Amino acid sequence: MLRVLIADDHPVVRAGYQRLLEQGGDIRVVADVGDGAAAYAAAIAHEPDVIVLDLSMPGGGMDLIQRLCQRHDDARVLVFSMHDSPMLVRRALEAGARGFIPKSSAPERLEEGVRALHAGRRYLAPELPAELLRPHAPADEGERLASLSAREFEVFRLLAQGHTASECAQRLNLSAKTVSNHQSAIKEKLGVATSAALVHLALRHGVIESAAPGFP
């Protein structure tokens, strides 16, 4: 029996994943959780063969992937996300994920990905264009983005989406002081002085698809 952990912050989505994966009879969802802390705890408690992970749930994302893979170097993390920009795909794979599927993909891709990872293979949904993993912006900016830690990248993405520092702290289960420190480090590493410059950089690299309402 192939054992799967599902981590997504939408209960209806998790229920749909479970029905989809278990219909063949040889896959069992051993746990489904809605945030990063619960995902990490469930991974320890159940030792699943494959972890299906959304990037946008509270306390989740790149840092969670990195923690899971640091704890177990054979962790098989399959990202299933509504966001599929080149930068996000690259960062997820660099953090340790072994597969990436956009949520816009055909339903059967999820089972294909789970089975591929269980067999020891990597899996990128065929819907992802070949050029997706190629850099699309100036090399120096790409190098600066690559210098961000997994946690800094999560904070950067949330800030670029228009979240306040306090909202970032709540979503990532961090203190406001920690987020403030990350924010300062991010701006220094990226060479930006303002929030507007940070958002424009995120847009250039596809980290976010559009600016928050009211952004100039």
Side-chain angles (χ1 to χ4, degrees):
M1 186 68 72
L2 198 168
R3 304 167 71 254
V4 175
L5 163 64
I6 296 173
D8 190 290
D9 60 344
H10 294 93
V12 174
V13 172
R14 297 199 303 270
Y17 293 171
Q18 181 167 356
R19 286 195 299 271
L20 180 65
L21 290 173
E22 292 185 341
Q23 63 186 356
D26 63 336
I27 297 177
R28 181 164 67 92
V29 175
V30 296
D32 66 276
V33 298
D35 63 70
Y40 189 76
I44 294 173
H46 296 280
E47 296 289 346
D49 298 306
V50 177
I51 301 168
V52 177
L53 178 70
D54 181 32
L55 289 177
S56 299
M57 63 182 174
M62 306 300 174
D63 185 66
L64 175 59
I65 295 173
Q66 195 171 69
R67 289 176 62 211
L68 289 167
C69 294
Q70 286 174 345
R71 179 183 175 274
H72 198 316
D73 58 10
D74 195 36
R76 296 168 184 180
V77 177
L78 174 63
V79 174
F80 197 50
S81 174
M82 65 180 293
H83 304 291
D84 58 0
S85 73
M87 180 59 65
L88 286 180
V89 175
R90 284 199 300 272
R91 290 298 303 228
L93 297 177
E94 289 168 0
R98 298 195 180 188
F100 198 107
I101 303 174
K103 286 186 176 178
S104 58
S105 298
E108 59 267 22
R109 298 297 183 220
L110 181 59
E111 182 180 351
E112 288 176 5
V114 166
R115 294 189 184 280
L117 265 64
H118 183 243
R121 303 190 303 273
R122 292 183 177 272
Y123 185 87
L124 289 180
E127 291 80 11
L128 295 174
E131 63 270 17
L132 188 61
L133 300 181
R134 298 174 192 163
H136 293 274
D140 59 337
E141 282 191 354
E143 291 170 1
R144 290 176 182 176
L145 276 170
S147 74
L148 298 181
S149 69
R151 178 60 83 192
E152 287 170 344
F153 187 81
E154 284 297 299
V155 174
F156 164 58
R157 189 161 69 95
L158 289 173
L159 290 171
Q161 288 171 344
H163 293 284
T164 65
S166 61
E167 288 171 342
C168 294
Q170 185 175 10
R171 287 186 63 86
L172 298 174
N173 297 321
L174 299 173
S175 70
K177 179 175 172 49
T178 297
V179 170
S180 178
N181 290 339
H182 282 318
Q183 188 173 16
S184 298
I186 289 164
K187 287 184 175 180
E188 182 177 351
K189 287 184 177 182
L190 297 182
V192 298
T194 67
S195 296
L198 184 147
V199 171
H200 286 305
L201 188 151
L203 287 168
R204 283 196 298 276
H205 285 265
V207 175
I208 58 174
E209 295 177 359
S210 61
F215 183 81

